[in-house]
Amino acid sequence: MFQEAYKKAYDSKVPDRDFVKKIEDKMAEKTGGLQIGAALRPVIAVMAVLFLVSVTATPILAKEFPALYRLLDKYAPALAEYVLPEERSCSSAGIKMQVEAIHVEDKDAEVLISFTDEPGYDYIHGKIDLYDSYGITSYSGVSNVGGSSFLEYDAQEDKAYYRLQMSSWDAFDREKYSFAVRMILTNCAKEKQELDLSGMNKEPVLKSVTLNGTGGLVDNALLQKYLGKSEEELWRSGAKVLDVGAYNSALADQLTLMGIAYADGILRIQNCRGKLDVADRHMEIALVDSEGNEQYCDYSVYWQEEIAGERMAFNEQWFVIGEEELEKLQVFAYRYVTDGCVTGDWEVVFTVE
Amino acid sequence: MRQKSLCTDDLAMIEKYSDMVYRMAYSMVKNPYDAEDIHQDVFVKYIGKKPVFESEEHAKAWFLRVTINLAKNFWKTAWKQRVVSLLDSDWEEREAPAQEEDTLIEVVKRLPQKYRTVIHLFYYEELSVEEMAGLLKEKPSTIRTWLTRARRKLKEWLKEDDYVSGSL
């Protein structure tokens, strides 16, 4: 039903019927299609420079608008450098971010960025995650794509390294970029832990909870078969989850495996994610066969409970699987944990050439 | 003054993939003006590069990939990044939108971009998790996680609505 509704909604989204002309116009624009008389070009260039100088009297404008910067860089590179100087390192909230190296090979560029503690701070001592809070801005108008990923933590230097990777449609010439970060999750870890199912509870006590979310790609027919409920009914009347006894406040700041049980063809694994916060701690369970193939849960449910005045998040992952098949598999928990989150305002500006 | 016209082959490709490109762009940038801009840029790139496609799937994947890249890049320009940061930073905690006024598209628009992308590829383009992983250069488990989180949030927002009565 969702899919039908979504498709129907998007079927009506179509481009302006005049799009062919617009594409032709844009091609002409990009290839310098406007036929301007040669005699007029210097005059226009001078006027453009005067206009730009006046507009960029407030340098922040050119920094804020890459298109303006590009024009400035073309006609007055020294002023462009003044407006947007290279800043290869910056500090905020006790962490220093620095461009360590830039490597360019034809249409691909890699930039090595390091993160290290300022004196008196101790955030960086393992893997970090920028939590989608970064932005790469091109000031050079070159069409490109980019992304970043954690590279390594060097314990000797006490530095965490991130790698920016950028690909351009044309070879890099001399292009200026900024890389800005707002949030750093510190000491992130993905821990793999094998779960022992030998003492698994096969007669679990269940309790009903009101859901905050569900996940998984299982269809309604399967839910109906194994749970006797459709998704709609799960939402309306609550889902049955493992009752593992009383919860306590010690769960607040950690990721905790709460219980494992198997009954009625469903393996249930419950965990508590602790207090809801930006730390994004969570647990992913995988069943692994002898060839190393991983199978993730068929369905999962999320709910919250108030414990000692704190709202805490719980998750139970369900695998629809026969008992004999289950005995042939290993079960692993991937625990995604972090010390916490540092927010700040980091930005470096560098030239790729 | 127009400098040159498109050849028949180019026009045929544009006609064929135009709607798909526009819808993909719209789902990512959330407004028709920017989506049109990206739509045009995708085809300018196509005409500039003239890639040779081995199959229809290859062509479809190429157009989707370029659209996604351009839309991502578009988002990362300075001022949009700031706007998006403000909008996206607290999405997990955001209250359900006012259902009466909001269409389904408006509700989906409230998800962060990467979640909107997988929702669109999964439900509209009907790509598998593995196909999405190839297209977005992510691991299948990452795609599955994004999809699960997106669906979970949509379910929360749409739970009083009819949409949820089926299999989301």
Side-chain angles (χ1 to χ4, degrees):
Chain A
M1 179 128 182
F2 173 83
Q3 182 166 26
E4 280 169 32
Y6 186 86
K7 280 194 156 191
K8 195 174 168 193
Y10 261 91
D11 281 342
S12 65
K13 300 290 175 200
V14 289
D16 184 337
R17 284 297 119 192
D18 210 11
F19 63 81
V20 172
K21 181 183 176 302
K22 288 184 176 173
I23 292 167
E24 287 179 332
D25 288 346
K26 196 164 242 186
M27 283 169 58
E29 188 186 308
K30 292 209 167 179
T31 55
L34 282 176
Q35 303 298 303
I36 298 165
L40 277 178
R41 283 185 192 161
V43 177
I44 290 173
V46 169
M47 286 172 67
V49 171
L50 288 174
F51 171 71
L52 281 171
V53 169
S54 65
V55 168
T56 52
T58 310
I60 197 75
L61 274 182
K63 187 171 184 291
E64 291 295 312
F65 297 102
L68 273 181
Y69 175 83
R70 290 199 290 276
L71 285 171
L72 193 62
D73 188 41
K74 187 170 179 182
Y75 293 106
L79 185 56
E81 180 56 30
Y82 169 76
V83 167
L84 188 69
E86 288 229 351
E87 296 274 4
R88 288 194 170 216
S89 72
C90 71
S91 288
S92 176
I95 295 177
K96 181 181 178 184
M97 178 168 90
Q98 180 161 330
V99 177
E100 296 277 353
I102 299 173
H103 174 69
V104 185
E105 206 162 305
D106 193 28
K107 297 177 183 178
D108 296 304
E110 285 191 348
V111 182
L112 194 61
I113 306 268
S114 70
F115 294 84
T116 187
D117 287 316
E118 287 288 14
Y121 291 87
D122 183 25
Y123 292 121
I124 307 293
H125 38 88
K127 183 182 175 181
I128 59 167
D129 191 330
L130 305 184
Y131 202 63
D132 294 344
S133 74
Y134 68 88
I136 303 171
T137 303
S138 163
Y139 286 92
S140 308
V142 173
S143 180
N144 54 60
V145 291
S148 76
S149 56
F150 175 75
L151 191 62
E152 63 168 7
Y153 168 69
D154 185 321
Q156 268 192 333
E157 293 180 296
D158 201 18
K159 279 184 179 178
Y161 287 94
Y162 241 74
R163 175 170 55 193
L164 312 191
Q165 289 177 293
M166 294 179 288
S167 296
S168 170
W169 292 103
D170 304 300
F172 283 96
D173 181 15
R174 189 181 64 85
E175 281 108 40
K176 196 169 268 184
Y177 289 86
S178 81
F179 177 65
V181 175
R182 287 187 306 110
M183 197 184 283
I184 300 172
L185 297 182
T186 59
N187 208 21
C188 304
K190 178 184 177 182
E191 298 160 356
K192 186 177 182 181
Q193 174 194 0
E194 182 165 7
L195 303 183
D196 178 13
L197 301 191
S198 59
M200 181 172 64
N201 184 356
K202 293 192 178 174
E203 292 179 346
V205 178
L206 302 180
K207 65 176 182 179
S208 195
V209 294
T210 303
L211 298 181
N212 291 90
T214 60
L217 305 177
V218 73
D219 61 20
N220 256 337
L222 212 54
L223 281 176
Q224 195 77 47
K225 179 178 171 189
Y226 285 95
L227 301 174
K229 283 182 175 184
S230 66
E231 268 201 323
E232 186 186 13
E233 287 165 329
L234 275 180
W235 278 97
R236 198 170 48 229
S237 61
K240 295 277 189 189
V241 299
L242 296 178
D243 185 348
V244 295
Y247 297 130
N248 64 62
S249 58
L251 297 171
D253 296 312
Q254 56 193 342
L255 182 62
T256 311
L257 181 68
M258 304 299 296
I260 307 175
Y262 182 84
D264 302 325
I266 299 178
L267 172 68
R268 295 164 177 266
I269 301 180
Q270 186 183 118
N271 69 76
C272 175
R273 296 168 61 180
K275 276 187 296 188
L276 280 174
D277 60 17
V278 75
D280 196 37
R281 63 173 81 90
H282 60 283
M283 187 183 290
E284 194 171 42
I285 307 291
L287 308 185
V288 184
D289 67 17
S290 56
E291 291 176 351
N293 297 312
E294 294 188 336
Q295 175 188 338
Y296 295 93
C297 72
D298 294 293
Y299 204 74
S300 61
V301 291
Y302 303 82
W303 72 99
Q304 295 174 18
E305 303 212 10
E306 187 159 329
I307 301 162
E310 297 277 7
R311 294 298 295 173
M312 293 199 215
F314 289 82
N315 162 245
E316 194 167 289
Q317 298 178 40
W318 300 345
F319 296 81
V320 177
I321 190 165
E323 196 166 0
E324 280 182 15
E325 194 187 343
L326 181 59
E327 282 167 5
K328 294 177 198 160
L329 302 173
Q330 286 178 288
V331 184
F332 289 98
Y334 292 108
R335 299 159 57 88
Y336 296 84
V337 292
T338 171
D339 275 0
C341 173
V342 184
T343 53
D345 187 13
W346 300 270
E347 183 170 16
V348 286
V349 178
F350 52 90
T351 304
V352 176
E353 53 190 339
Chain B
M1 181 188 295
R2 211 175 299 166
Q3 194 171 41
K4 62 176 179 180
S5 292
L6 298 167
C7 71
T8 317
D9 286 352
D10 291 339
L11 284 172
M13 288 302 270
I14 292 172
E15 285 291 347
K16 187 169 183 180
Y17 292 104
S18 177
D19 288 354
M20 179 190 80
V21 165
Y22 179 79
R23 287 170 187 144
M24 185 75 241
Y26 186 94
S27 74
M28 292 181 76
V29 298
K30 307 196 283 190
N31 74 73
Y33 312 104
D34 296 331
E36 292 238 342
D37 236 19
I38 289 167
H39 172 263
Q40 291 155 22
D41 286 342
V42 169
F43 290 108
V44 168
K45 281 218 181 304
Y46 166 73
I47 292 156
K49 286 181 80 77
K50 283 280 168 58
V52 178
F53 300 124
E54 293 154 13
S55 61
E56 250 187 55
E57 289 73 35
H58 183 203
K60 181 177 175 181
W62 189 90
F63 280 109
L64 284 173
R65 176 82 194 148
V66 172
T67 308
I68 291 165
N69 284 342
L70 287 176
K72 274 187 190 170
N73 207 36
F74 172 86
W75 257 161
K76 283 173 180 161
T77 58
W79 67 273
K80 281 197 192 303
Q81 178 68 32
R82 287 193 177 88
V83 173
V84 174
S85 300
L86 288 171
L87 289 174
D88 278 0
S89 59
D90 62 346
W91 74 281
E92 279 280 9
E93 283 74 37
R94 214 172 295 157
E95 290 300 311
Q99 294 293 312
E100 294 79 7
E101 302 94 288
D102 282 342
T103 64
L104 179 60
I105 286 180
E106 293 303 314
V107 176
V108 175
K109 277 180 182 177
R110 288 162 195 255
L111 293 169
Q113 191 188 54
K114 66 186 178 190
Y115 298 120
R116 292 199 305 276
T117 305
V118 291
I119 286 287
H120 188 80
L121 291 173
F122 187 76
Y123 287 109
Y124 198 91
E125 296 302 336
E126 298 188 341
L127 298 192
S128 67
V129 168
E130 284 69 28
E131 286 170 320
M132 286 192 276
L135 200 62
L136 300 173
K137 292 195 164 57
E138 296 285 352
K139 286 189 290 188
S141 58
T142 305
I143 299 296
R144 216 170 273 122
T145 303
W146 290 357
L147 202 49
T148 301
R149 287 182 185 172
R151 287 156 45 94
R152 187 178 79 210
K153 205 65 204 173
L154 286 176
K155 190 89 65 167
E156 270 178 41
W157 287 339
L158 295 166
K159 68 180 171 184
E160 300 302 326
D161 197 271
D162 282 341
Y163 294 125
V164 87
S165 61
S167 56
L168 173 63

